[in-house]
Amino acid sequence: MKLLFIGSRLYDDLDWYVRSKGIESVLTESNEDAINLDLPDQVFIVPRGMDGPKQVALMQNVDAIVPLIGIDPPLIDVAHMKEEIESEYNIPVIASDVRAVELTSNKIRTKSFYEEIGVATPQYQILNNPNELKMDFPVVLKQGEGQGGKDIKVAHSIDDVEEYFEEFDQALCEKFVEGSEISIEVLGYGGEYVALPPIYKGETTLEGTHPLNKVKTGPCMVEGLDNNLVQHTAYKIAKNLDSDGIFEMDFMFSKETQQLYAIEVNTRPNGTRYLTTATCGINSLCELVNMAIGEFSLSKIYDNLEYHYSTEIPIGNYEGPSPKEPIKSFEDNDFVVHGPEGYQRVTARADSKEGLKQLVDKLT
């Protein structure tokens, strides 16, 4: 079995799994100085875009293509490439299709999608100038496209809104919800979907604290919130998107109304994947490989589900004990270190809350 992986930045997360399955790995990358280029069996440096990976896939006669792209802008090109290669060459591409990417890559379209399928989302309006605002403060101002907290502002007054419009001509204005931030991964392939355990990402803040600066925990344990509701809602969203790959969904649980609100969907590998793996033993990137080689199975996932307490802590530069090989796998480790130097994080797990506290004390 020969697989083409697109993008090297995330490849070290699953290189150990690819080798364990005896898969021949081919990788394309547009940056000749990128990390992890020493890991695959073959590497091809190609121009940006999907034409290069497509040509390599055909030249190498690969059995499937697994894009490892963790940012939003290239996803629509991947989706168009998927539809072309699957229809013309019958090579599976483990990624979302054009419809799913178009619905999820723009926050305004995503809002309309939620309303169409009957999923609750915070009150919102589209502003073309500050004078159109009809909502009470505080509100959250966003752009239709963007990720990782980019171009998001919590506005407390009309002056804040006017300041935002000094940079932008339009804004998605959303009611600020005080409550708990939740993330969940859904895996889908061939019309089958499974929602993994929800992850707690902290409380909303009027300062707009970036998620990377918060301590996160799994599984999600929020008073008044039923995790089954989160999983059911996430499953419903994925089922209606009707596509393949990883879906990472963000929710908010309001303390005031006890209501679960859907915020956004990402059709790509995401930042909470280490916590999900630590919590339940299911590695979403490895499941992409399983989809590519015909071994993705809901029954296998359910059989392999584990139950741990986990946490992810921003640590800057990690100086604690070294994890065992493979260092990005929880199969033989109770912690994984990830992220670039200066911004590293430790994700740790244990079978009890007390055991987790002791492990974190040892690591930090």
Side-chain angles (χ1 to χ4, degrees), residues 313-345:
I313 303 171
I315 204 164
N317 287 311
Y318 177 73
E319 298 177 353
S322 299
K324 300 175 184 176
E325 294 288 343
I327 62 173
K328 289 295 189 74
S329 168
F330 281 99
E331 293 198 351
D332 294 314
N333 287 299
D334 50 15
F335 72 97
V336 165
V337 181
H338 51 99
E341 289 188 12
Y343 300 92
Q344 288 182 321
R345 286 164 282 163

Side-chain angles (χ1 to χ4, degrees), residues 62-364:
V62 301
D63 296 290
I65 300 172
V66 182
L68 297 176
I69 296 174
I71 57 176
D72 291 339
L75 296 180
I76 191 62
D77 291 335
V78 172
H80 282 294
M81 183 265 290
K82 169 188 174 73
E83 296 192 353
E84 177 188 354
I85 284 192
E86 289 186 344
S87 64
E88 294 186 14
Y89 302 100
N90 200 32
I91 300 174
V93 179
I94 313 304
S96 288
D97 60 22
V98 171
R99 173 182 173 271
V101 173
E102 287 181 342
L103 283 174
T104 59
S105 61
N106 184 286
K107 295 179 178 65
I108 298 172
R109 287 198 191 109
T110 306
K111 288 282 193 181
S112 298
F113 171 66
Y114 289 149
E115 292 176 337
E116 288 172 9
I117 65 173
V119 170
T121 189
Q123 176 190 355
Y124 73 99
Q125 67 176 113
I126 310 303
L127 293 183
N128 293 300
N129 67 70
N131 297 327
E132 294 178 352
L133 181 63
K134 298 177 182 178
M135 298 165 59
D136 295 332
F137 293 105
V139 296
V140 182
L141 303 173
K142 305 177 180 180
Q143 290 300 290
E145 299 178 354
Q147 70 182 82
K150 183 176 183 292
D151 301 330
I152 294 179
K153 179 183 181 70
V154 179
H156 303 266
S157 67
I158 192 64
D159 289 341
D160 289 338
V161 180
E162 290 174 347
E163 182 179 316
Y164 191 82
F165 271 82
E166 290 176 4
E167 184 174 356
F168 303 103
D169 296 326
Q170 188 184 72
L172 169 61
C173 180
E174 191 175 76
K175 179 181 178 181
F176 177 83
V177 177
E178 183 179 5
S180 304
E181 299 179 28
I182 299 148
S183 182
I184 184 171
E185 286 186 287
V186 181
L187 303 174
Y189 190 68
E192 294 188 318
Y193 301 90
V194 56
L196 300 177
I199 300 300
Y200 173 69
K201 294 174 34 174
E203 298 298 295
T204 56
T205 65
L206 289 171
E207 295 76 26
T209 304
H210 195 283
L212 291 182
N213 298 322
K214 295 181 179 181
V215 174
K216 308 178 186 70
T217 58
C220 178
M221 290 181 286
V222 174
E223 185 177 356
L225 176 63
D226 183 355
N227 282 348
N228 289 327
L229 173 62
V230 183
Q231 291 177 296
H232 175 77
T233 307
Y235 175 89
K236 179 179 181 178
I237 292 169
K239 188 74 173 176
N240 279 277
L241 286 171
D242 189 26
S243 195
D244 298 333
I246 297 171
F247 303 90
E248 188 253 355
M249 304 182 193
D250 291 332
F251 290 89
M252 203 81 71
F253 182 67
S254 169
K255 292 180 177 178
E256 178 183 359
T257 64
Q258 295 288 286
Q259 172 69 56
L260 181 70
Y261 294 108
I263 304 299
E264 64 179 72
V265 186
N266 298 306
T267 56
R268 52 172 168 76
N270 60 87
T272 58
R273 65 186 183 275
Y274 295 101
L275 263 174
T276 301
T277 305
T279 302
C280 70
I282 305 300
N283 185 316
S284 57
L285 292 188
C286 294
E287 290 303 325
L288 292 181
V289 174
N290 287 340
M291 294 174 195
I293 64 177
E295 295 186 9
F296 178 73
S297 164
L298 297 190
S299 61
K300 284 184 180 179
I301 288 177
Y302 292 134
D303 288 344
N304 292 329
L305 277 175
E306 302 172 2
Y307 301 91
H308 305 278
Y309 292 94
S310 65
T311 189
E312 182 176 296
I313 303 171
I315 204 164
N317 287 311
Y318 177 73
E319 298 177 353
S322 299
K324 300 175 184 176
E325 294 288 343
I327 62 173
K328 289 295 189 74
S329 168
F330 281 99
E331 293 198 351
D332 294 314
N333 287 299
D334 50 15
F335 72 97
V336 165
V337 181
H338 51 99
E341 289 188 12
Y343 300 92
Q344 288 182 321
R345 286 164 282 163
V346 174
T347 299
R349 74 178 188 183
D351 293 331
S352 67
K353 292 181 181 179
E354 182 58 33
L356 182 61
K357 182 180 182 303
Q358 292 175 1
L359 175 58
V360 168
D361 289 343
K362 180 178 79 172
L363 297 176
T364 59

